[in-house]
Amino acid sequence: MRKRFFRFWCAAVVLTFASAGIHAQAAPATAFNTQPEQAVLTRLLPHQASQFELGTMISPNGHERFRISSDNGRIKVEGSTPSALLFGVNWYLKYVAHVQISPNGDRVGAAAFPLPTAVIEKETPYTYRYALNENVDGYTSPYWDWARWEREIDVLALSGVNAMMIERGTDFVLYQTFRDFGYADGDIRNWITQPAHQNWQLMGNLCCFDGPISSVLMQKRVTSAQRIIARLRELGITPVLPGFYGVVPADFQTRFPKSHVVPQGEWAGFTRPGWLDPRDPMFAKLAAAFYRHQRELYGDSTIYDMEVFQEGGDSGDVPVPEAARDVQNALLAAHPGARWMMLAWQGNPRQDLLSGVDRNHLLIIDIDHDHVPRDDRQKDFQNAPFLFGGIWEFGGRTTLGANTQNITERLQRLGRTNGNMIGTALFTEGMNTNPFAFDLFTEMAWRSEPIDIAAWTADYVQRRYGAADPHALAAWNVLLHTAYDLHITDVPFNSERDAAQESLFDAQPSLTVNRASNWSPEALRYSGDVFKQALPAMLQVAPELRVSETYQYDLVDIARQTLANESRMLLPQIKAAYDAKNESRLHTLTQRWLQFMDLQDQVLATNRYFLVGNWLNQVQPWASTPNELVRLNYDVRSLLTTWGDRKASEGASLHDYGNKDWAGLTRDYYRLRWQTYFQSLDESLRSGAPPKTIDWFAMGDAWNHGAQRYTDQPVGDAYQAATRVADALQMTSTSYTVRDASTGDTLDARQAGTKTAD
């Protein structure tokens, strides 16, 4: 039987950049006001916040650190920085109080917390614990209000994050910048994309989608961004802001004939904005205006994100080293000492770009997803500092799973072997899925000793549900052998190395379809038969533990994923019935497929995290007129379905990239597509003619422009709905056997570890 014990060491030494002369060691922290951190506790722990005494401490070696102890009947937590202090509180919650604050539900209760019985002290060798992929501003947060942002910031701060991307409000910076250079109000507002698609404009991928953006909306976004950034600064979190690297409207060279603009071609069916040669005298003027307006609105930062040639682009006749030098010079002129953040993704950063810049002032997010991971990042990045990126989810999708070996083994190995690794980056394309992977990844920056993943998971189960329930442990042992043990080389994948497969319920219908979006894995990356054992185990968890928000979320997620996996078992049977011209068999199987989709919608409807209404109902407060509400609704709806216009959706296969297992979306869109398709197969068998062609884009665009209203409140009982799923799949809730996917050996489903991870 293959053992699943991952042990790893995190080098607790000062990381030195020998050739670059850069040190990850921070200066000893000075005292700071702990009132903002106390306010976080008041919001997250209203019944227990008064039990905590927060304080500051000096770190003798410059590494951020925290200390947990008791003092005069209170829980005392000290930190060398605000981030270390809050993560110290989180460590106490996890390993002393055994409760949980998570992106997908809390289990805290109202009872008083226990005092620590021993002093606990931890440190991190990493300077940065960064969060948020640029795409989060599209797939998750484009229309969040302040209350939603406040919650997210609190959870990320408690998880040790000390740098965070904020793109909201950059639209108005661009607006002011180009107005300074003579663009009319209407012209530049037509160029700026609406919020859910806007981050791709900031990366140079597209422009002008679903415009014009309104002046009122931009002003609302400015006010919102200012509040978000102010809160980050209160908590010692560095706001990472977009920088200027030359993106200009298509007619810029027409307006300024002496300028040198390089056309960038297309990205996924969209025309990319032009790229102004950074050596051009106009570049320095535009950059200075951009940074001036940005500073006036949001203040200064020390990290600026710029994605030159992101997923394509063309340098034309521009020498890349010189261009990169001038992009960096413009940044440093406005913000001396600032870092230029960039992605290691699909061939970037180019070697010629790295050769032209001061690499001491770079910060590379390493999310490379080559088929064979590249581990010599000192060589690849020419010793530029980098962060290890965790990206196990794309498009904001709801698929359960992650390649945990990348987190528990490779992250620590690269930290030991690459002197230029100075931190971690939580870089999923959307947020608020896979709370297990989130918890594991954010904790690893603070781990300097080996851990046993099974024991760590047992601790996770206890804090998430309130006890080490044997059935909960059994369910999570199943998950550790399946969804969180992805076999990344077993099936073809098209760039998403560390992500799980999608549900075929969400795919554009076909008898041979093997994924919903173009770039995802093409088959199950673990044993579906083994995974099926998790649901009956979860249904046997003790009744008193089932009431927690965290159990309810996980039960729905596991039931949802069980049904999603079943789609991959059922579709080949449907194809075989059609190919055999067996009308009766085809009818039986397609009705079973639709029944599963109905069950999925019902189970999703019981939990607030799986409601399309939560996504759509965020939009209305941002709209100032009925016409604007129509455009903004199209903005958020299309991102789930067609993604863009017909050319992008069909020609570049962007459709369904942002697919979600959400109640309402499943019922009114995904199910309708499959029902329509199955009807065409039935008609084909009756008539003997090929199935009729269906305009899938038109169907998606109709939903995008629809006026259906969806609730943002859960309906029904999650346990009953999940039980109906188990019944429909003829699962037994009285016994279950777990087998190792690679050896076939029987595993003890209830033995998820007896040691503790702390």
Side-chain angles (χ1 to χ4, degrees):
M1 181 172 63
R2 183 169 60 96
K3 294 182 179 179
R4 179 152 168 86
F5 296 116
F6 300 136
R7 294 186 175 272
F8 48 85
W9 294 92
C10 177
V13 296
V14 177
L15 299 178
T16 303
F17 296 74
S19 61
I22 301 172
H23 298 271
Q25 182 173 351
T30 57
F32 54 89
N33 182 0
T34 63
Q35 288 182 351
E37 289 68 40
Q38 187 66 49
V40 172
L41 302 194
T42 300
R43 289 189 292 271
L44 296 179
L45 308 168
H47 301 288
Q48 301 93 354
S50 61
Q51 288 187 254
F52 288 85
E53 178 187 339
L54 304 184
T56 64
M57 64 184 295
I58 297 295
S59 176
N61 61 3
H63 293 167
E64 290 182 65
R65 64 193 302 113
F66 64 81
R67 181 188 302 122
I68 303 167
S69 61
S70 60
D71 185 36
N72 293 322
R74 303 184 74 195
I75 304 159
K76 186 174 183 179
V77 183
E78 301 161 281
S80 61
T81 64
S83 178
L85 175 61
L86 282 173
F87 193 76
V89 172
N90 200 13
W91 194 279
Y92 165 84
L93 296 177
K94 290 182 178 187
Y95 295 111
V96 181
H98 301 293
V99 298
Q100 187 181 63
I101 302 289
S102 89
N104 303 93
D106 299 341
R107 196 197 64 79
V108 174
F113 289 157
L115 292 175
T117 58
V119 175
I120 301 171
E121 193 159 350
K122 300 284 182 181
E123 70 175 24
T124 174
Y126 298 122
T127 302
Y128 293 103
R129 282 91 56 203
Y130 169 88
L132 300 190
N133 189 306
E134 292 92 342
N135 293 353
V136 167
D137 203 48
Y139 292 125
T140 300
S141 64
Y143 292 95
W144 277 0
D145 61 12
W146 168 244
R148 185 63 188 83
W149 262 111
E150 183 175 55
R151 163 72 187 188
E152 194 75 9
I153 293 169
D154 285 348
V155 172
L156 290 171
L158 197 72
S159 302
V161 167
N162 66 356
M164 190 186 307
M165 168 74 73
I166 301 297
E167 295 174 299
R168 180 174 290 185
T170 304
D171 43 14
F172 195 61
V173 176
L174 288 170
Y175 173 83
Q176 289 182 307
T177 298
F178 287 104
R179 288 282 282 152
D180 286 352
F181 286 79
Y183 275 82
D185 167 77
D187 290 342
I188 198 63
R189 287 194 296 107
N190 270 306
W191 181 67
I192 295 173
T193 299
Q194 301 287 10
H197 288 78
Q198 192 177 112
N199 75 282
W200 287 278
Q201 180 166 16
L202 300 181
M203 292 190 290
N205 299 134
L206 56 81
C207 77
C208 324
F209 184 73
D210 193 28
I213 193 168
S214 75
S215 298
V216 175
L217 178 56
M218 285 194 292
Q219 288 293 342
K220 288 181 179 179
R221 286 166 57 80
V222 166
T223 301
S224 173
Q226 289 170 336
R227 192 172 188 182
I228 293 166
I229 291 168
R231 176 59 58 81
L232 296 184
R233 291 189 173 115
E234 282 182 10
L235 296 173
I237 299 173
T238 300
V240 178
L241 304 177
F244 184 81
Y245 58 95
V247 169
V248 295
D251 65 348
F252 190 86
Q253 188 154 16
T254 301
R255 290 172 178 263
F256 301 96
K258 294 184 179 180
S259 65
H260 183 207
V261 177
V262 180
Q264 294 298 289
E266 290 190 347
W267 174 86
F270 289 95
T271 301
R272 304 176 74 123
W275 182 52
L276 177 62
D277 183 348
R279 302 170 304 162
D280 191 299
M282 286 291 292
F283 181 91
K285 297 175 183 177
L286 274 169
F290 178 93
Y291 290 122
R292 182 180 71 254
H293 288 301
Q294 190 179 56
R295 176 185 294 113
E296 291 168 352
L297 291 168
Y298 311 121
D300 294 318
S301 186
T302 56
I303 308 175
Y304 290 83
D305 177 52
M306 294 180 280
E307 302 305 327
V308 184
F309 313 127
Q310 201 271 345
E311 295 185 354
D314 184 10
S315 59
D317 60 354
V318 179
V320 171
E322 295 178 27
R325 175 202 63 203
D326 288 340
V327 169
Q328 187 178 59
N329 285 343
L331 171 63
L332 295 176
H335 302 286
R339 291 187 183 274
W340 173 359
M341 191 179 94
M342 61 180 66
L343 303 184
W345 174 252
Q346 295 190 356
N348 285 342
R350 293 166 47 160
Q351 292 296 310
D352 52 356
L353 184 150
L354 291 174
S355 70
V357 298
D358 179 353
R359 293 182 292 281
N360 293 352
H361 289 98
L362 297 185
L363 191 62
I364 298 172
I365 308 293
D366 185 10
I367 55 168
D368 171 70
H369 264 52
D370 285 354
H371 280 65
V372 178
R374 304 189 327 189
D375 288 357
D376 187 354
R377 296 322 232 167
Q378 285 186 284
K379 175 184 177 182
D380 295 338
F381 300 150
Q382 299 182 32
N383 219 45
F386 79 96
L387 308 182
F388 183 95
I391 180 169
W392 52 84
E393 174 272 308
F394 293 80
R397 299 175 210 142
T398 47
T399 303
L400 188 155
N403 178 13
T404 54
Q405 293 187 50
N406 195 53
I407 301 171
T408 59
E409 294 182 354
R410 186 166 176 262
L411 184 158
Q412 304 298 339
R413 183 174 71 253
L414 264 63
R416 291 193 304 271
T417 60
N418 290 266
N420 55 334
M421 179 173 153
I422 62 171
T424 59
L426 180 67
F427 220 73
T428 51
E429 286 192 344
M431 297 294 284
N432 307 135
T433 64
N434 281 292
F436 175 83
F438 174 92
D439 197 345
L440 181 65
F441 185 85
T442 53
E443 187 177 306
M444 288 307 101
W446 292 86
R447 282 287 184 181
S448 58
E449 70 279 2
I451 75 163
D452 179 325
I453 190 62
W456 191 94
T457 303
D459 282 333
Y460 179 85
V461 167
Q462 182 175 8
R463 63 180 174 262
R464 191 151 176 86
Y465 304 143
D469 180 275
H471 301 290
L473 291 173
W476 275 93
N477 197 38
V478 171
L479 297 181
L480 281 181
H481 285 84
T482 54
Y484 291 107
D485 185 24
L486 299 181
H487 300 171
I488 63 173
T489 59
D490 286 0
V491 301
F493 66 97
N494 303 285
S495 78
E496 299 177 7
R497 186 182 68 211
D498 296 323
Q501 72 290 330
E502 301 163 305
S503 170
L504 297 187
F505 292 145
D506 302 350
Q508 186 167 290
S510 160
L511 289 176
T512 57
V513 67
N514 58 23
R515 57 198 188 276
S517 63
N518 190 52
W519 294 274
S520 66
E522 297 183 14
L524 275 169
R525 306 186 97 173
Y526 51 80
S527 168
D529 287 337
V530 173
F531 185 92
K532 287 173 71 170
Q533 301 297 319
L535 181 56
M538 282 293 284
L539 289 170
Q540 290 195 70
V541 168
E544 63 271 18
L545 305 183
R546 298 175 194 165
V547 297
S548 70
E549 186 181 26
T550 44
Y551 170 84
Q552 295 275 317
Y553 175 88
D554 290 349
L555 179 65
V556 169
D557 203 19
I558 291 168
R560 175 205 59 75
Q561 189 64 52
T562 303
L563 280 169
N565 292 350
E566 202 68 18
S567 69
R568 293 181 176 272
M569 313 301 176
L570 191 53
L571 188 61
Q573 299 176 45
I574 293 173
K575 181 179 186 301
Y578 177 78
D579 290 344
K581 302 186 187 314
N582 188 331
E583 294 184 44
S584 175
R585 176 73 171 159
L586 179 67
H587 178 76
T588 298
L589 292 172
T590 56
Q591 288 305 301
R592 184 165 174 78
W593 178 285
L594 296 176
Q595 176 201 10
F596 286 170
M597 296 192 75
D598 290 336
L599 283 171
Q600 177 174 281
D601 196 79
Q602 291 165 18
V603 75
L604 295 171
T606 66
N607 193 276
R608 64 188 177 97
Y609 291 98
F610 295 99
L611 306 178
V612 74
N614 266 337
W615 172 255
L616 299 178
N617 295 346
Q618 296 169 7
V619 173
Q620 195 278 330
W622 296 93
S624 299
T625 67
N627 182 58
E628 183 172 33
L629 181 59
V630 169
R631 293 202 310 278
L632 300 187
N633 276 326
Y634 178 77
D635 184 36
V636 294
R637 283 173 173 250
S638 61
L639 200 65
L640 303 177
T641 57
T642 58
W643 211 101
D645 60 17
R646 187 180 289 273
K647 182 178 180 181
S649 182
E650 294 184 338
S653 299
L654 270 182
H655 65 83
D656 298 305
Y657 184 86
N659 70 83
K660 311 281 195 300
D661 287 351
W662 281 349
L665 183 65
T666 296
R667 181 188 68 237
D668 290 347
Y669 182 58
Y670 297 138
R671 189 190 190 281
L672 177 62
R673 290 200 301 188
W674 281 103
Q675 182 180 29
T676 303
Y677 180 65
F678 292 151
Q679 288 172 349
S680 76
L681 297 183
D682 288 339
E683 293 169 4
S684 171
L685 289 187
R686 287 196 299 269
S687 67
K692 68 177 182 180
T693 300
I694 301 169
D695 189 339
W696 298 118
F697 176 81
M699 185 176 290
D701 210 43
W703 189 83
N704 297 343
H705 288 97
Q708 308 98 316
R709 299 296 301 272
Y710 295 95
T711 183
D712 54 12
Q713 298 299 313
V715 176
D717 181 273
Y719 189 85
Q720 292 178 5
T723 300
R724 290 195 296 271
V725 172
D727 291 344
L729 295 175
Q730 298 180 337
M731 296 176 172
T732 173
S733 60
T734 58
S735 64
Y736 38 87
T737 301
V738 181
R739 297 186 182 278
D740 187 289
S742 60
T743 68
D745 293 339
T746 299
L747 304 174
D748 182 350
R750 291 166 177 76
Q751 185 177 1
T754 57
K755 295 177 282 186
T756 57
D758 60 329

